[in-house]
């Protein structure tokens, strides 16, 4: 009888032990598996990429996606531009307090003039340039939860034809879910692909992909070549776009942020029409998505999440025309937000400023500025691009 009791006790103890191990393993695996957030379990394999292009789109906007496929996504494949000289690329170093030193406004203006001179020389040159195959891939991100059978069928049909839709099964595709959409997309892409940089744009943005890609390659080459100069400091992580630091917190309308109480204004962020992020920043956001506070505006969320890091290189660039409304058209713009399908085709065919209208003088377009990183955020944006 005693032996039976001992065996029963042993059996109970072993069962409890193995059950405890099972629960621990299960909980541990969940904690280490942030990829489950997106619900995307399989994507087409692809070799190591330099640039991932993520285009946030809506389920019904197939025509917009088709125009993008027919126009700017073709640029840079292959890349037929001469190397952008590395000496024209700014690479920030750390100051005595351990912060990256951003360009002042005079240097930003000078760098824009250098680019314009280089651009004019390239466009007037008749010298044939060897073509380069830079590895890149694009996806249109679309939430599919709750879609009607007809719309789901149309998306499946589009996917079979193009194989470039990032279908997010756990996301209802609404403006209110835009930040979650970005996180789901980053989650899927960082866990399925090895890329160096990610370009995020909206489906009403036009990108001169060849010029952006060309300069990004030169920046990356220079960073790798000079990496030893950073010694024990982390390499700068690129966050490239058009920055705003004086935007007031919205309290009304679809952009209202009832939970943004960190400061009197939004933290400095790159405007959402388009920006570039280093992979490390994408990984951070994807792997910590369950800890991050999400806000209505996806671009404000990204700026807030990255605010504490000293190694983030916030590269403010007037060539990103990425605000809520198009600025006055300039030849040097290479990310252009708020463009419709007709304008995209015109831009692709070499036309400029086709959106100009008869009452252009009465239309108050946003001003274009250099960002002054040496002043407080409320005085960041007073140095206008002339």
């Amino acid at each position: 009888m005693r032996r039976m009791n001992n065996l029963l006790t042993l059996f109970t103890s072993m069962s409890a032990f193995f059950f405890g191990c099972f629960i621990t393993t299960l909980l541990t695996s969940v904690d280490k598996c942030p990829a489950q957030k997106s619900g995307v379990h399989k994507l087409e394999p692809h070799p190591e990429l330099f640039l991932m292009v993520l285009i946030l789109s809506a389920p019904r906007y197939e025509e917009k996606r088709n125009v993008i496929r027919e126009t700017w996504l073709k640029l840079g494949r292959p890349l037929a531009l001469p190397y952008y000289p590395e000496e024209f690329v700014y690479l920030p170093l750390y100051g005595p307090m351990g912060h990256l030193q951003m360009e002042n406004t005079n240097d930003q203006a000078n760098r824009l003039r250098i680019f314009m001179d280089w651009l004019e020389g390239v466009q007037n040159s008749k010298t044939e340039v060897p073509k380069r195959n830079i590895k890149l891939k694009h996806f249109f991100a679309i939430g599919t939860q709750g879609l009607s059978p007809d719309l789901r069928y149309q998306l499946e049909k589009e996917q079979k034809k193009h194989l470039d839709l990032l279908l997010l099964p756990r996301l209802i595709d609404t403006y209110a879910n835009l930040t979650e959409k970005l996180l789901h997309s980053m989650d899927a892409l960082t866990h399925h692909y090895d890329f160096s940089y990610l370009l995020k744009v909206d489906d009403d943005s036009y990108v001169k992909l060849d010029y952006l890609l060309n300069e990004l390659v030169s920046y990356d080459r220079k960073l790798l070549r000079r990496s030893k100069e950073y010694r024990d400091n982390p390499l700068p992580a690129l966050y490239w776009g058009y920055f705003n630091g004086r935007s007031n917190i919205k309290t009304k309308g679809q952009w209202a942020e009832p939970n943004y109480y960190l400061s009197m204004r939004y933290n400095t962020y790159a405007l959402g029409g388009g920006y570039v992020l280093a992979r490390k920043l994408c990984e951070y956001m994807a792997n910590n998505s369950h800890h991050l506070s999400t806000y209505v505006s996806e671009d404000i969320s990204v700026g807030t999440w990255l605010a504490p890091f000293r190694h983030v290189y916030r590269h403010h660039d007037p060539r990103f025309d990425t605000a809520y409304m198009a600025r006055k058209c300039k030849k040097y713009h290479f990310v252009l937000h708020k463009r419709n399908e007709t304008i995209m085709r015109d831009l692709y065919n070499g036309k400029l400023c086709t959106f100009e209208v008869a009452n252009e003088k009465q239309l108050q377009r946003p001003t274009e500025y250099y960002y002054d990183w040496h002043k407080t955020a409320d005085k960041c944006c007073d140095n206008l691009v002339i």
Side-chain angles (χ1 to χ4, degrees):
M1 188 68 179
R2 183 180 299 174
R3 182 177 298 176
M4 287 293 294
N5 288 337
N6 290 340
L7 288 174
L8 184 60
T9 302
L10 178 61
F11 177 78
T12 303
S13 300
M14 291 179 65
S15 298
F17 172 79
F18 286 116
F19 181 75
C21 291
F22 170 76
I23 293 297
T24 302
T25 303
L26 182 62
L27 293 175
T28 304
S29 64
V30 169
D31 188 54
K32 291 182 178 180
C33 195
Q36 294 300 309
K37 180 181 182 67
S38 67
V40 177
H41 300 294
K42 184 178 180 181
L43 288 170
E44 178 190 1
H46 197 287
E48 182 178 352
L49 298 162
F50 179 72
L51 179 66
M52 176 67 74
V53 180
L54 173 65
I55 307 157
L56 302 190
S57 189
R60 298 183 183 277
Y61 289 171
E62 183 176 1
E63 179 57 30
K64 285 188 176 184
R65 294 190 287 274
N66 283 334
V67 171
I68 291 174
R69 292 180 182 113
E70 295 165 4
T71 58
W72 63 262
L73 280 176
K74 292 183 177 180
L75 301 174
R77 299 179 175 183
L79 184 59
L81 287 172
Y83 278 100
Y84 192 67
E86 288 184 21
E87 60 266 27
F88 296 172
V89 175
Y90 179 73
L91 201 62
L93 296 175
Y94 286 93
M97 298 298 292
H99 298 279
L100 286 175
Q101 304 300 292
M102 307 302 178
E103 286 183 295
N104 61 41
T105 55
N106 289 334
D107 288 339
Q108 291 174 40
N110 185 51
R111 205 163 297 281
L112 181 59
R113 285 192 292 269
I114 289 173
F115 172 78
M116 292 170 65
D117 291 341
W118 177 86
L119 180 63
E120 183 178 0
V122 168
Q123 293 179 341
N124 293 332
S125 176
K126 297 181 180 179
T127 304
E128 187 173 348
V129 178
K131 296 180 179 179
R132 290 175 280 158
N133 290 310
I134 310 298
K135 293 181 180 179
L136 67 154
K137 189 174 181 63
H138 74 271
F139 277 110
F140 295 93
I142 300 170
T144 61
Q145 185 176 343
L147 292 184
S148 67
D150 288 345
L151 190 50
R152 187 180 293 273
Y153 171 76
Q154 290 299 323
L155 287 174
E156 290 172 355
K157 184 178 177 181
E158 183 181 354
Q159 179 73 314
K160 287 180 181 179
K161 183 176 180 180
H162 299 288
L163 298 174
D164 62 358
L165 302 183
L166 180 61
L167 301 176
L168 305 169
R170 297 180 179 175
L171 184 87
I172 299 174
D173 207 304
T174 63
Y175 181 82
N177 283 340
L178 193 57
T179 302
E180 282 293 332
K181 186 174 187 175
L182 179 69
L183 287 174
H184 282 234
S185 300
M186 285 187 178
D187 178 86
L189 296 180
T190 55
H191 285 88
H192 288 87
Y193 294 102
D194 185 9
F195 57 87
S196 298
Y197 299 93
L198 179 140
L199 166 65
K200 176 268 164 183
V201 292
D202 295 338
D203 61 5
D204 60 348
S205 293
Y206 182 93
V207 182
K208 296 179 182 177
L209 190 58
D210 46 354
Y211 288 101
L212 182 144
L213 185 62
N214 194 43
E215 187 161 334
L216 188 59
V217 167
S218 292
Y219 166 83
D220 189 68
R221 285 161 56 95
K222 186 172 185 177
L223 180 64
L224 293 177
R225 187 170 54 80
R226 297 179 57 180
S227 59
K228 292 182 179 179
E229 297 180 19
Y230 290 95
R231 299 180 182 178
D232 296 330
N233 289 308
L235 289 179
L238 184 63
Y239 181 18
W240 182 18
Y242 191 81
F243 285 81
N244 188 6
R246 60 184 179 185
S247 181
N248 292 320
I249 298 171
K250 304 296 187 294
T251 57
K252 297 179 181 179
Q254 66 174 338
W255 295 288
E257 297 279 4
N259 298 312
Y260 203 98
Y261 44 76
L262 300 174
S263 57
M264 293 180 64
R265 292 183 173 86
Y266 294 123
N267 281 306
T268 300
Y269 65 98
L271 301 181
Y275 48 83
V276 176
L277 292 167
R279 178 186 175 85
K280 289 292 185 182
L281 302 181
C282 298
E283 288 179 344
Y284 162 75
M285 288 183 277
N287 292 338
N288 294 280
S289 60
H290 51 304
H291 294 305
L292 298 172
S293 296
T294 57
Y295 304 103
V296 174
S297 297
E298 139 276 317
D299 50 357
I300 288 168
S301 297
V302 171
T304 302
W305 296 334
L306 300 181
F309 296 103
R310 71 184 182 97
H311 70 299
V312 174
Y313 169 29
R314 296 169 181 83
H315 177 14
H316 174 78
D317 197 333
R319 294 173 296 176
F320 283 63
D321 180 14
T322 48
Y324 68 96
M325 179 183 184
R327 303 201 302 266
K328 186 173 177 58
C329 207
K330 298 291 180 66
K331 189 177 181 180
Y332 54 74
H333 290 156
F334 58 43
V335 181
L336 305 98
H337 194 209
K338 295 298 181 182
R339 267 61 176 192
N340 61 32
E341 295 92 315
T342 300
I343 295 173
M344 287 191 186
R345 289 192 177 95
D346 287 343
L347 286 166
Y348 185 71
N349 292 320
K351 297 180 182 179
L352 185 67
C353 300
T354 55
F355 64 86
E356 304 289 0
V357 293
N359 63 343
E360 177 66 21
K361 292 183 179 180
Q362 285 75 42
L363 194 61
Q364 288 294 109
R365 297 194 179 277
T367 55
E368 195 168 79
Y369 55 82
Y370 302 111
Y371 199 104
D372 195 336
W373 299 101
H374 303 286
K375 292 183 179 179
T376 55
D378 60 317
K379 298 177 182 178
C380 65
C381 312
D382 297 329
N383 292 274
L384 302 183
V385 177
I386 301 174

